[in-house]
Amino acid sequence: MMLPKINYIKVNTLTEAYDAINQCLGELSILAGETDLLIELRKKDLDTHQNILDISNINLLKEIKENGELIKIGSLVTHTQLAESPILKKHAALLAQAASMIGSLQIRNRGTIGGNICNASPCADTVPPLVALDAEVTLSSIDGERVLPVADFIKGPYKTARKSDEILTCISFKKLPEGCRSHFIKLGRRNALSIARLQVAVVGMLDNTGNICYIKLAPGSSMPTPTRLHEVEKMLINEKPTSDLFVEAGERTAQIMIEKTGIRWSTEYKKPVLAALVRRGLEKVFKKTTNHGDTETQSR
Amino acid sequence: MRIIGKSVNREDAYEKVTGKAPFTDDLSFAGMLYAKVKRSSFPHAKLLRVDTSKAKALTGVHDIATSNEIPGKNLVHVVIDDQPLLADGLVKYIGEPIAVVAAETPEIAEEACELIDVEYDELPAILDPLKSRGEDSVKIYGEDNIFAHHKIRKGDIEQGFEQADIILENTYRTPYQEHAYLETQGMVAVPRFGGAIDIHGSMQCPFYVQQTVSDILGLSLNKVRVIQMRTGGAFGGKEDVPSLVGGQAALSAYRTQRPVKLIYTREEDIISMSKRHPGWIRYKTGMTREGELTAVEIEFIFDSGAYSTLSSIVLWRGIVHSVGPYNVPNVKVDAYAVATNKVPCGAFRGFGSPQVIFAGETQMNELADKLGMDPVDLRRKNILRVGDRTATGQLLDHSVGIGKTLEAACGKADWMRKKEEYSKDTGETRRGIGLSTIFYGVGLGAGGKHLAKTGAYVQVLKDCTVQFAVGTTEMGQGMRTVLTQIVAEQLGVSYRQVFMMETDTSRVPDSGPTVASRATVMSGNALIEACKPIKQTMLKTAAKLLNSRPEYLEFSGEEIMLQKEPKAKVAVTQVIEECHNNNENMASEGWFVAPTTSWNAELGQGKAYFAYSWATNVAEVEVDTKTYEVKVLSITAAHDMGKAINPTQVEGQIEGGSLQGMGYGLMEEVLTENGRIINPNFSTYIIPTALDTPEVVPLIVEEPFEDGPYGAKGFGEQPLMGIAPAVTAAISDAIGVKLHELPATPERIMDALKRKGEGK
């Protein structure tokens, strides 16, 4: 494979990384798991990728930690780590589930959560779960840190709020409340090495009276920017979990997709299918029979 | 038999699994340069100017060759001589080669390509094959853009339809298919003393490459030697097009007098190398109320791309297979290979048959539906049996296993029970079961008679090992293993004592191409011929050792014994040693010419192929009625290949072919925009993965072919050919839709459901 000539810098600590950023002239791209950047490099866009800062050796960013009610995930945590994490399986199962569906084993072993967010592909598999978890990202630079919700950090397809001197270091969110269940659905064109065509992330819980008391819903690959659907959540909150309601929620979600993206060649297919997936996601989370913390993986 | 019919390990498994097998890109020679091809950016344009001056000035560039620099003929000969190696004043598709650069590194070669300044005068392009035929059209080829027209005329078609109680007519469309071999195209050309040249590369047909290199360089054939490297998949995609790659590498090597390596990138490979022909098929079938076929009338068009390549014979195999493995008294077929300003199509596993099989089998399944008859029963009524004649009038005198495959597959899949059970599904997912029955003409047939020959060379060495060579190639299909088994069985030695040398044009005479599932029959028979004189010598020598006469002796396992007195015997190894001590000639050549075929082109009648293989596929699917996704649950495939020389390899072919056929049926799609392929890599050209693989149940049926080695017929292509219609039939069974276009993507299934809802 032929790659353009680049200035490649590898660092072992964040301090070294900040120094490298400060000393660097011109555009700088950050390399974490290499699964997106390497493909970008083959396009030979020299201006954008003059300098490559390889942060993959910064071990501090490779841990998933519990911190009271919070879960903190280092930005270099791989998809394999996410998929296998007992902490996530217990407190945010849909994120582990989504990570397990990314690419192939090799890609999951290399690709990182930070890279998945910063690449900001509209079909990034970790993003809808993170949005449904109200996750926040920490951006660090020599001047300090700032914290942004994932939904605000991603500005559009392949666009983020990251400034050129910042490194995304941490992703954090609150553990899901006790009794809350979650589910992630990915629709692709095959079962492995699949790029999502539609995704649905659902988190929810019923109260003692059987009404929905907690609901967060984030579709993926269907909106210009990742977002929770507050309007649909409002339709659902404090209601009984009925089939009709779920059908209605699905249809409303599909309408919102069209309002936000307009009619495209794919709309005729995606509209009914997104509605069905949202309905299925809700059914999965609110169905009565299964155990607490259901993490059953739906493969397609 | 000791070795035939046994699943010995693949001869090349270990070195491939451990990554030790050297492929073309692993080759290196001192002073080697790297080549890169400059390609057309327009589907149809005059080349006003090709300015290489800037590129030549780049440091590290050694040579740039355009059509003007070709010393011999600017020609890639396949069937009709219309394709140049490098465009000469005119380009006819995006990706057509214009110039070849040779430089010190691949990076410099690539940069130099970008510096070549090409001035185009764009011409109107024809991209739709249905608009290609005719005189008002933009001219791509000849007067009417038709590369070939083949036909069948049998019986009286009008009378046939008059006798029919029901007539079903449909139009079908089938897509491109990309071979998706793991190893992209590649060649290394090395100049030799005496003005000769060696070509090492990934290919199916070394003798084709030899011809092209000879034509391009103006060298006689005896100066061009072609050596096949380990070949990482081919599926037909390395039949004719490696001649282009080899010709390009050879041109650079010849001009620079240095070794030159040319390896295509995946994108380059997908945009410029051959594909399966997209098909447009109008199919009309007449049948009695009792389910007997009375008439079949077909018109079909293959979108052949910019040059004729193999299209004429792809089309010919298409017509022979278009009516299916059925008794049909009245047949009329007209088929056209038409030119378009797109990448030239060529050979792909099945070679023109999967397109017409999809149409023909869907017709049969829909007719069964219309008659309220089980599709299995409809097959039972119409399939060919010994004594019947095919649509081309060929009398089938033996080795017709289709009935057995039908019963084996449907029995194993438990057809009746599943059909009943699946019809009761009521949820959001519905299951269904579907069927296809197919046949396959083995070898080149009457369409390629002049190439229907093979050579072999066998030598028994003094350490009792054996080496042999053939003119056909191993491309992953397992030929090395099967032929090694045949030689070991013949000579009374163990499988491990036999080694197949790399295929090399200097070892055996021109043996034709490795295509058409012909290698087992053709090279197997040539090897048996080559073994004969050696075996005679061994019997003669054994007779001396046993104080007997050769005619009283026979081979038995790894010994030679007296027929009437099995205790009087001598080990083959001892005999071999004695032969060498006596200065006997322990090497021999073998030659085999295919059994006769015949063809009347006006009527499309004759003995099209010397033998046929047969198969029945049963597919079971689950359809999601809300997302329109299809999950193939299982494929039960019964194949008659005469004799399974290595049953595990046969099963492997059935598994791989089933998956490739499933991809063709459900997901594979080459997307184009104004003649440009917009998905030239494997993240966007979707093929099935291991996680999409259904349970495949392979079943072996053996109806021996009397002219085949140990009764074997050809088989390699067949597992792919009938999968798509079996899968779409299963989808139809599940949700009651009619699918006439491949691939059956979720979108197409949704559309079909809508049409059904609207009562269309």
Side-chain angles (χ1 to χ4, degrees):
Chain A
M1 182 170 57
M2 276 153 264
L3 297 174
K5 289 195 179 75
I6 45 169
N7 177 30
Y8 171 83
I9 314 150
K10 186 161 187 168
V11 293
N12 295 310
T13 65
L14 273 174
T15 319
E16 283 175 29
Y18 300 145
D19 287 348
I21 289 171
N22 275 348
Q23 286 161 16
C24 185
L25 302 170
E27 292 280 334
L28 182 138
S29 307
I30 294 176
L31 185 154
E34 223 173 7
T35 56
D36 288 314
L37 188 59
L38 205 62
I39 293 160
E40 273 296 300
L41 283 176
R42 293 185 69 198
K43 296 181 190 160
K44 302 199 174 66
D45 185 352
L46 284 170
D47 292 341
T48 318
H49 303 296
Q50 258 176 29
N51 302 289
I52 303 275
L53 177 63
D54 181 350
I55 61 167
S56 64
N57 259 8
I58 306 180
N59 292 327
L60 205 65
L61 304 181
K62 295 182 179 176
E63 287 176 339
I64 302 172
K65 283 186 285 198
E66 281 179 275
N67 188 351
E69 278 309 291
L70 277 184
I71 291 173
K72 294 193 162 195
I73 303 174
S75 57
L76 293 179
V77 165
T78 65
H79 303 310
T80 299
Q81 277 177 282
L82 295 174
E84 292 173 357
S85 161
I87 299 174
L88 292 183
K89 283 181 182 171
K90 190 168 176 202
H91 299 296
L94 82 169
L95 182 57
Q97 192 193 353
S100 75
M101 296 179 185
I102 292 174
S104 61
L105 185 63
Q106 294 92 327
I107 290 171
R108 292 193 293 274
N109 284 341
R110 297 273 333 178
T112 65
I113 185 168
N116 202 229
I117 299 168
C118 287
N119 189 51
S121 160
C123 50
D125 286 316
T126 62
V127 169
L130 289 171
V131 170
L133 290 164
D134 286 329
E136 296 177 325
V137 294
T138 303
L139 297 156
S140 309
S141 71
I142 200 154
D143 300 325
E145 288 185 346
R146 64 183 178 122
V147 175
L148 275 178
V150 170
D152 294 344
F153 176 68
I154 296 174
K155 294 288 191 193
Y158 308 99
K159 285 198 185 94
T160 68
R162 189 178 70 85
K163 293 179 191 152
S164 59
D165 63 343
E166 287 177 327
I167 296 175
L168 193 158
T169 49
C170 179
I171 297 96
S172 58
F173 50 84
K174 280 189 193 157
K175 291 175 183 172
L176 290 176
E178 194 74 14
C180 190
R181 287 165 38 175
S182 70
H183 192 62
F184 176 75
I185 299 175
K186 171 177 178 174
L187 181 108
R189 287 206 182 268
R190 61 181 167 195
N191 290 330
L193 288 162
S194 174
I195 296 164
R197 304 189 66 207
L198 286 172
Q199 299 140 313
V200 174
V202 189
V203 174
M205 187 163 59
L206 299 177
D207 65 15
N208 294 338
T209 64
N211 284 346
I212 297 171
C213 65
Y214 187 97
I215 173 72
K216 291 178 183 176
L217 175 66
S221 310
S222 46
M223 309 281 171
T225 53
T227 175
R228 273 174 54 198
L229 294 182
H230 298 285
E231 184 190 332
V232 181
E233 290 173 5
K234 267 183 208 155
M235 287 169 65
L236 294 160
I237 197 86
N238 299 325
E239 298 289 335
K240 287 265 182 268
T242 64
S243 298
D244 287 352
L245 181 64
F246 293 161
V247 168
E248 213 181 309
E251 283 171 0
R252 184 63 200 126
T253 304
Q255 278 168 11
I256 294 170
M257 171 179 76
I258 294 169
E259 285 161 19
K260 293 204 175 190
T261 62
I263 304 270
R264 301 181 182 190
W265 73 269
S266 59
T267 306
E268 192 187 350
Y269 173 73
K270 283 190 171 182
K271 186 185 166 195
V273 174
L274 180 61
L277 296 184
V278 167
R279 172 177 60 73
R280 282 183 188 172
L282 292 168
E283 284 169 356
K284 192 89 191 170
V285 164
F286 293 114
K287 78 177 172 193
K288 288 173 188 132
T289 47
T290 49
N291 298 326
H292 161 79
D294 177 13
T295 62
E296 185 190 331
T297 300
Q298 190 172 339
S299 64
R300 33 203 298 151
Chain B
M1 278 176 288
R2 288 175 304 130
I3 302 167
I4 300 298
K6 303 284 189 306
S7 292
V8 297
N9 285 344
R10 269 185 82 103
E11 201 273 338
D12 51 358
Y14 181 79
E15 61 162 30
K16 282 183 175 168
V17 168
T18 54
K20 292 191 169 90
F23 289 83
T24 304
D25 202 10
D26 298 317
L27 267 189
S28 255
F29 292 89
M32 188 170 77
L33 300 174
Y34 297 85
K36 182 84 188 166
V37 179
K38 173 74 180 179
R39 298 181 180 280
S40 161
S41 322
F42 291 93
H44 200 193
K46 282 184 190 161
L47 291 178
L48 299 181
R49 198 169 53 93
V50 180
D51 183 352
T52 59
S53 53
K54 265 189 251 165
K56 274 181 180 154
L58 189 68
T59 309
V61 173
H62 283 247
D63 182 52
I64 299 177
T66 65
S67 62
N68 295 328
E69 277 81 38
I70 291 173
K73 287 184 275 187
N74 184 12
L75 171 70
V76 179
H77 167 75
V78 186
V79 180
I80 307 166
D81 286 339
D82 63 334
Q83 186 179 18
L85 182 80
L86 298 173
D88 183 8
L90 182 72
V91 287
K92 295 186 183 178
Y93 67 98
I94 291 176
E96 179 162 4
I98 295 172
V100 189
V101 175
E104 277 167 18
T105 67
E107 290 81 2
I108 297 171
E110 189 171 342
E111 201 181 335
C113 274
E114 282 159 24
L115 291 173
I116 297 174
D117 193 8
V118 182
E119 198 179 321
Y120 299 93
D121 179 15
E122 212 184 334
L123 299 167
I126 300 174
L127 304 173
D128 180 353
L130 301 184
K131 293 180 180 152
S132 170
R133 271 192 297 177
E135 287 165 19
D136 330 328
S137 217
V138 173
K139 297 284 173 292
I140 307 172
Y141 175 81
E143 289 303 305
D144 52 9
N145 291 338
I146 296 173
F147 290 129
H149 169 202
H150 296 309
K151 49 195 174 184
I152 297 180
R153 301 285 183 269
K154 181 189 181 190
D156 182 334
I157 194 70
E158 282 168 29
Q159 202 188 319
F161 282 113
E162 273 167 32
Q163 288 162 358
D165 296 311
I166 53 170
I167 293 173
L168 180 69
E169 186 172 355
N170 284 310
T171 303
Y172 297 86
R173 298 204 76 145
T174 62
Y176 279 114
Q177 190 178 17
E178 157 60 32
H179 304 86
Y181 30 68
L182 271 180
E183 181 204 25
T184 59
Q185 307 276 352
M187 295 275 174
V188 180
V190 185
R192 291 296 187 198
F193 57 84
I197 193 162
D198 286 358
I199 313 289
H200 307 256
S202 182
M203 68 190 88
Q204 289 175 239
C205 308
F207 299 97
Y208 286 7
V209 177
Q210 184 186 30
Q211 181 66 53
T212 294
V213 171
S214 155
D215 285 341
I216 295 296
L217 301 183
L219 283 180
S220 51
L221 286 170
N222 62 358
K223 297 261 173 92
V224 182
R225 178 181 169 205
V226 181
I227 303 130
Q228 187 219 9
M229 295 294 293
R230 291 283 186 267
T231 293
F235 311 109
K238 291 173 183 170
E239 177 168 349
D240 60 324
V241 283
S243 300
L244 284 152
V245 190
Q248 290 155 355
L251 179 60
S252 286
Y254 187 76
R255 285 168 53 78
T256 58
Q257 283 300 303
R258 286 174 64 165
V260 171
K261 180 188 277 189
L262 172 58
I263 307 285
Y264 281 15
T265 64
R266 179 63 64 186
E267 287 80 0
E268 182 178 30
D269 194 296
I270 290 182
I271 65 160
S272 71
M273 295 283 95
S274 64
K275 308 268 168 287
R276 188 185 303 290
H277 293 72
W280 175 94
I281 304 131
R282 184 152 58 208
Y283 209 116
K284 184 176 169 189
T285 313
M287 194 173 258
T288 66
R289 228 169 267 115
E290 291 72 36
E292 272 172 27
L293 284 160
T294 61
V296 168
E297 184 176 0
I298 314 166
E299 184 190 6
F300 67 95
I301 291 174
F302 280 174
D303 181 350
S304 305
Y307 293 104
S308 62
T309 70
L310 292 156
S311 291
S312 170
I313 38 179
V314 171
L315 189 77
W316 185 76
R317 186 176 278 278
I319 60 162
V320 175
H321 290 76
S322 61
V323 177
Y326 307 112
N327 262 306
V328 189
N330 307 294
V331 178
K332 179 170 185 267
V333 182
D334 282 280
Y336 303 87
V338 303
T340 54
N341 289 114
K342 294 186 291 191
V343 62
C345 289
F348 195 142
R349 199 176 193 177
F351 206 74
S353 73
Q355 297 93 324
V356 290
I357 287 171
F358 169 63
E361 288 304 290
T362 305
Q363 289 285 104
M364 289 298 279
N365 290 324
E366 289 188 8
L367 280 161
D369 237 20
K370 272 184 180 286
L371 288 170
M373 191 184 277
D374 188 277
V376 180
D377 288 335
L378 188 65
R379 293 328 193 274
R380 286 189 184 115
K381 262 192 190 317
N382 290 286
I383 51 172
L384 292 164
R385 294 182 165 84
V386 171
D388 288 340
R389 285 183 186 273
T390 65
T392 73
Q394 178 172 352
L395 178 70
L396 299 169
D397 55 4
H398 79 295
S399 194
V400 182
I402 188 158
K404 284 187 184 172
T405 68
L406 181 67
E407 303 309 329
C410 294
K412 182 80 182 172
D414 206 354
W415 173 272
M416 293 301 283
R417 188 185 63 75
K418 296 262 183 63
K419 192 138 176 89
E420 173 77 17
E421 182 191 327
Y422 294 169
S423 69
K424 292 175 186 156
D425 281 358
T426 53
E428 283 194 358
T429 58
R430 303 282 173 89
R431 290 170 299 169
I433 187 164
L435 167 79
S436 71
T437 42
I438 64 162
F439 73 146
Y440 181 79
V442 176
L444 299 166
K449 266 168 111 166
H450 57 298
L451 298 168
K453 58 196 174 180
T454 42
Y457 171 77
V458 176
Q459 185 183 166
V460 182
L461 293 98
K462 63 185 177 190
D463 64 353
C464 299
T465 60
V466 179
Q467 62 181 19
F468 74 92
V470 291
T472 53
T473 54
E474 170 68 46
M475 62 190 95
Q477 84 277 41
M479 181 199 77
R480 279 183 82 90
T481 306
V482 163
L483 297 183
T484 303
Q485 285 179 265
I486 289 174
V487 171
E489 186 75 47
Q490 282 288 317
L491 293 176
V493 297
S494 73
Y495 174 67
R496 290 186 185 284
Q497 277 170 277
V498 182
F499 179 70
M500 188 188 112
M501 294 182 279
E502 64 208 333
T503 302
D504 175 335
T505 54
S506 68
R507 288 205 167 111
V508 296
D510 186 344
S511 300
T514 308
V515 301
S517 305
R518 73 190 280 269
T520 298
V521 172
M522 298 300 292
S523 289
N525 277 332
L527 283 165
I528 289 171
E529 287 302 312
C531 289
K532 276 181 185 168
I534 300 173
K535 287 172 76 172
Q536 272 312 313
T537 304
M538 286 163 69
L539 289 173
K540 208 175 66 188
T541 305
K544 280 182 202 156
L545 292 171
L546 293 170
N547 289 322
S548 179
R549 293 160 64 130
E551 56 268 35
Y552 297 157
L553 301 181
E554 65 184 15
F555 279 76
S556 169
E558 296 182 20
E559 291 165 328
I560 294 174
M561 67 176 194
L562 209 56
Q563 283 161 358
K564 290 185 176 159
E565 203 180 326
K567 279 182 189 163
K569 60 191 178 185
V570 55
V572 164
T573 49
Q574 194 190 334
V575 175
I576 293 171
E577 278 165 18
E578 187 65 15
C579 289
H580 279 286
N581 288 340
N582 296 340
N583 288 346
E584 296 285 0
N585 177 11
M586 294 297 279
S588 174
E589 288 167 359
W591 188 247
F592 182 73
V593 176
T596 323
T597 51
S598 63
W599 191 248
N600 175 331
E602 271 316 297
L603 297 173
Q605 295 290 292
K607 186 180 178 188
Y609 292 96
F610 58 70
Y612 294 89
S613 290
W614 313 84
T616 298
N617 304 291
V618 175
E620 295 169 53
V621 305
E622 184 179 272
V623 184
D624 186 321
T625 59
K626 298 299 170 190
T627 64
Y628 313 104
E629 293 168 294
V630 174
K631 182 179 179 186
V632 180
L633 302 170
S634 71
I635 290 169
T636 306
H639 289 260
D640 163 26
M641 74 301 296
K643 172 76 188 171
I645 290 179
N646 187 315
T648 296
Q649 286 201 160
V650 163
E651 289 166 3
Q653 286 276 25
I654 294 175
E655 287 170 11
S658 293
L659 202 59
Q660 207 169 25
M662 193 189 97
Y664 183 58
L666 291 180
M667 55 178 83
E668 296 187 33
E669 224 166 358
V670 172
L671 305 171
T672 59
E673 249 173 43
N674 303 321
R676 182 182 303 276
I677 293 171
I678 57 169
N679 57 339
N681 56 55
F682 293 151
S683 63
T684 46
Y685 182 79
I686 305 294
I687 62 173
T689 66
L691 287 188
D692 303 291
T693 307
E695 184 191 7
V696 178
V697 183
L699 301 168
I700 293 171
V701 171
E702 296 179 323
E703 278 289 312
F705 166 47
E706 62 191 22
D707 291 325
Y710 302 98
K713 302 182 271 193
F715 158 74
E717 291 162 271
Q718 192 167 274
L720 175 146
M721 290 164 31
I723 299 299
V727 168
T728 52
I731 299 170
S732 299
D733 183 50
I735 57 171
V737 295
K738 291 189 169 77
L739 294 163
H740 295 159
E741 186 169 356
L742 296 180
T745 55
E747 288 87 343
R748 288 207 177 92
I749 292 171
M750 181 182 72
D751 288 345
L753 266 173
K754 279 187 182 158
R755 281 198 303 274
K756 181 192 166 199
E758 289 158 8
K760 283 179 193 167

